[in-house]
Amino acid sequence: GVLMTLLQQAKRAARPLFFASALSLLVCSRSFLVTVSKRDDGTYAYDPTSVVLMTEVMKFALASALWLGENQAKGSLVGAFAEQYDHKVAMLYSVPAVLYAIQNNIVFYALLYLSPPTFELFSNLKIVTTAVAFRVVMKQVLTNVQWCGIALLTMGTMLGQMSMAQSAAANAGPVNAAEAAAANGAQVFGFMLCLLYACLSAAAGIYTERMLKGSKQSTHMQNMEIYFWSIVVNLGIGMMDRGTLLPEAGFFNGFQGITWLVIINGALMGQCVSFVMKYANNIVKVFAACMALFLSTGLSAVFFDFQPNLLLFVGFGVTISSLFLYFGPHNAILKESYTQGGDTKSSA
């Protein structure tokens, strides 16, 4: 009895744990790939809106391939599509598509004004915005211990990012007053972009989670619907940005091997996000993304001669503590006591 229960719990946890781990790896590589793809003068050789659009096209192609594999044994793929497709539900996915499209474009522009560690530091605001939205919109009860865990997660990742920023500043050497003022101005603008990014991340994530869990459609069909709208929205963003449907120099102008790695990484990350929200929730997604910071730091220490300092280890310890506080078994007991307390008040 006890052994079977433990095995069932492990089986239920295996799938979200796998996708959360994969998401950590992909988030870890995103900002580094985007930064490496910049030219020596700090600009992009390619059009960022073209890269985002191509990423959405690849997401749609990947979701379509997975849907075809899931339904090929049913005989008529047209019949299976007609049975699963609901145009009313598909229209609802246009909302997160708009939010995600803006969010994805913000990443490229924010990284023009901020270094990868500083961007990740400021983008940790999404931890708080997601937790608040998760509580208000999804009506999920979070214990006081879990709120402490979220606060520690925010603190831990910020300490880690401060550590990396200090190391980067030490390697950069001294700067004059004019350069410092320009850098401060760029950071203020970058911070405002990250604040917008955090709010859009929370809104899009919670909306999508509610749609994914509230529908009987397969995850692949849902992904196809949201990525279709993402393609449409990004085409519109490109037209507003350039004044034409496609770049005058050519859609693939400036694309290199590293550019395609950025696209592939983004496509896989989109799939992982949807599965994490389907089988877990947005808070798990946030924790997975935050753990990517320490994963990237470890890889930097191995491959790029990065020297971690005490602040980084403190941040890592705080983050690990936040994982226990949020996901620990004590929360089930606390939530049960909250429920019993509410029932007692209702009966009174």
Side-chain angles (χ1 to χ4, degrees):
V2 176
L3 181 60
M4 286 300 296
T5 302
L6 290 174
L7 288 174
Q8 289 174 354
Q9 290 178 348
K11 187 177 180 180
R12 282 197 300 269
R15 185 181 290 176
L17 180 61
F18 170 78
F19 288 117
S21 301
L23 181 59
S24 290
L25 285 170
L26 293 167
V27 172
C28 164
S29 58
R30 179 188 59 179
S31 58
F32 284 100
L33 287 173
V34 171
T35 301
V36 171
S37 71
K38 290 193 290 189
R39 292 182 289 204
D40 293 338
D41 61 358
T43 60
Y44 301 112
Y46 52 83
D47 184 348
T49 55
S50 296
V51 171
V52 174
L53 176 59
M54 195 63 216
T55 302
E56 298 305 321
V57 170
M58 189 167 288
K59 286 179 184 179
F60 181 83
L62 183 56
S64 300
L66 291 171
W67 182 86
L68 288 171
E70 184 181 64
N71 292 273
Q72 63 181 352
K74 294 183 179 180
S76 174
L77 290 174
V78 175
F81 183 87
E83 179 184 347
Q84 296 178 35
Y85 179 76
D86 185 335
H87 72 278
K88 293 182 179 178
V89 174
M91 287 297 294
L92 293 175
Y93 278 111
S94 62
V95 176
V98 172
L99 299 177
Y100 279 128
I102 298 172
Q103 178 189 334
N104 291 335
N105 280 278
I106 284 175
V107 172
F108 286 91
Y109 290 105
L111 285 169
L112 285 174
Y113 298 96
L114 303 170
S115 66
T118 308
F119 168 74
E120 296 295 345
L121 172 63
F122 288 159
S123 65
N124 284 327
L125 290 166
K126 68 179 178 287
I127 301 171
V128 179
T129 55
T130 301
V132 172
F134 185 70
R135 175 67 183 92
V136 173
V137 179
M138 300 298 289
K139 309 293 185 186
Q140 293 292 325
V141 176
L142 296 177
T143 67
N144 292 334
V145 175
Q146 286 180 309
W147 281 112
C148 288
I150 291 170
L152 282 180
L153 176 65
T154 308
M155 185 187 305
T157 51
M158 284 187 170
L159 286 172
Q161 291 294 353
M162 286 168 64
S163 167
M164 295 184 70
Q166 285 181 2
S167 298
N171 292 333
V175 295
N176 59 43
E179 290 175 338
N184 288 334
Q187 287 214 344
V188 169
F189 186 70
F191 173 78
M192 298 306 294
L193 288 174
C194 286
L195 182 59
L196 178 59
Y197 172 87
C199 293
L200 291 174
S201 176
I206 295 298
Y207 186 102
T208 305
E209 180 183 342
R210 194 161 189 169
M211 291 288 294
L212 287 169
K213 291 181 175 177
S215 173
K216 295 181 180 179
Q217 289 181 322
S218 74
T219 304
H220 306 314
M221 173 61 76
Q222 291 170 313
N223 282 340
M224 287 165 61
E225 290 169 347
I226 191 171
Y227 297 146
F228 167 78
W229 283 112
S230 294
I231 292 170
V232 172
V233 171
N234 277 287
L235 279 171
I237 290 175
M239 285 188 66
M240 288 188 294
D241 186 47
R242 295 183 297 261
T244 58
L245 182 62
L246 298 176
E248 293 182 2
F251 185 81
F252 296 107
N253 180 57
F255 275 46
Q256 299 173 337
I258 188 66
T259 316
W260 287 105
L261 286 178
V262 170
I263 292 169
I264 293 170
N265 184 84
L268 293 175
M269 193 164 70
Q271 295 294 321
C272 282
V273 166
S274 64
F275 284 117
V276 168
M277 289 193 290
K278 180 79 171 182
Y279 299 114
N281 56 54
N282 268 276
I283 303 295
V284 174
K285 181 190 78 171
V286 168
F287 270 89
C290 290
M291 289 306 296
L293 160 66
F294 299 99
L295 179 61
S296 65
T297 303
L299 292 175
S300 296
V302 173
F303 295 105
F304 301 111
D305 198 29
F306 174 78
Q307 299 296 323
N309 56 28
L310 179 60
L311 196 60
L312 180 67
F313 288 110
V314 172
F316 182 71
V318 171
T319 304
I320 293 298
S321 300
S322 75
L323 289 171
F324 174 74
L325 288 178
Y326 189 88
F327 294 105
H330 48 266
N331 289 298
I333 301 171
L334 289 171
K335 286 182 180 180
E336 185 177 348
S337 68
Y338 288 175
T339 305
Q340 290 175 350
D343 293 341
T344 302
K345 290 179 182 177
S346 299
S347 61

